[in-house]
Amino acid sequence: MALEKWLADRYNCLRGDFMRPTRVEISLAKLDRNIQRLKSLLNPSTALMAIVKANAYGHGIVEIAKQALKSGARFLGVAVPEEGVQLREAGVNCDILVLSGIDVDQIDLVIDYNLSVCLFTIEMARLINQKAGNKQSKVKAHVKIDSGMGRIGVRDIDEATSLCAELEKMDYLILEGMFTHFACADECNDNGYSLMQLERFNKVLDEIKKAGIKPRWIHAANTASIINYPESHYNLVRTGIGMYGY
């Protein structure tokens, strides 16, 4: 019995039933200061998206999101729809972009909670458009371009242009934005890779512009490129780690 109790206690400990006596105190005033410093690097017409994925990097998603909006953020960025749902249920009403791809069973959450989606395949676009049509709701979409990060996104210029053209024809999807993500803008040995990514992204933007497609929001810059590459600011930037003081 002693062994069984010990095993049960170990299981509960690993499961998280026992809490460590650890505290983290978050200064919202310093969060505001960090955001203002980042905003000072931007053109006044450039909006800011505060990234609050993973429980706002462990700092508390609801509290951080609300302070970021008070400090001037225009958008919030999350990793999965469930994080957006948590914010909506806490009374957060701003635009929230889900930065990762979603599964079919998450489409209803996106529609029901008015979340914006990251799109990079026509198949997912069609599914969302169909489900949104069934509910007579519209969904905002940001097309993700993989300019060299190697995660998710459209890599081919013609494919990107074709996807955007298809979205423009859909009744329940709104092509609101285009974006990419830098792979190593925070590294000292970048060696021009970020500028190469920027060039690739600009070529895609040029092609969709030639096709008469003009998304409202264009964004590429993360914290490092906000600081290092002002030419990447466009009219929207995303800050995650810098907002938290790193």
Side-chain angles (χ1 to χ4, degrees), residues 82-95:
E82 289 78 6
E83 293 173 329
V85 170
Q86 184 180 357
L87 290 169
R88 289 285 187 244
E89 292 183 343
V92 176
N93 296 316
C94 71
D95 285 317

Side-chain angles (χ1 to χ4, degrees), residues 94-217:
C94 71
D95 285 317
I96 300 174
L97 174 60
V98 180
L99 291 161
S100 303
I102 63 171
D103 290 329
V104 174
D105 59 4
Q106 294 174 308
I107 294 176
D108 285 329
L109 290 179
V110 165
I111 299 168
D112 295 343
Y113 287 88
N114 188 29
L115 305 176
S116 302
V117 291
C118 159
L119 276 181
F120 47 92
T121 68
I122 190 61
E123 292 79 13
M124 180 55 72
R126 288 169 179 162
L127 283 171
I128 296 174
N129 186 60
Q130 180 182 357
K131 285 204 169 192
N134 293 339
K135 297 189 176 194
Q136 292 295 295
S137 297
K138 294 195 175 185
V139 176
K140 297 174 184 176
H142 290 229
V143 170
K144 174 70 180 291
I145 304 300
D146 182 0
S147 59
M149 183 71 182
R151 287 182 182 170
I152 59 173
V154 186
R155 298 184 182 183
D156 181 77
I157 292 179
D158 291 337
E159 185 182 345
T161 306
S162 176
L163 174 58
C164 291
E166 285 291 316
L167 288 174
E168 289 279 276
K169 297 174 185 177
M170 292 183 180
D171 294 326
Y172 298 98
L173 266 177
I174 301 168
L175 176 55
E176 186 184 50
M178 298 278 294
F179 74 112
T180 193
H181 188 67
F182 291 114
C184 54
D186 59 341
E187 297 178 8
C188 294
N189 60 346
D190 184 340
N191 293 326
Y193 194 79
S194 294
L195 292 176
M196 178 275 291
Q197 285 191 258
L198 195 61
E199 182 180 359
R200 287 181 178 176
F201 185 52
N202 282 329
K203 286 180 178 178
V204 176
L205 296 178
D206 288 342
E207 287 302 311
I208 67 165
K209 186 177 180 180
K210 289 177 185 176
I213 301 168
K214 299 178 180 178
R216 179 181 180 186
W217 299 105

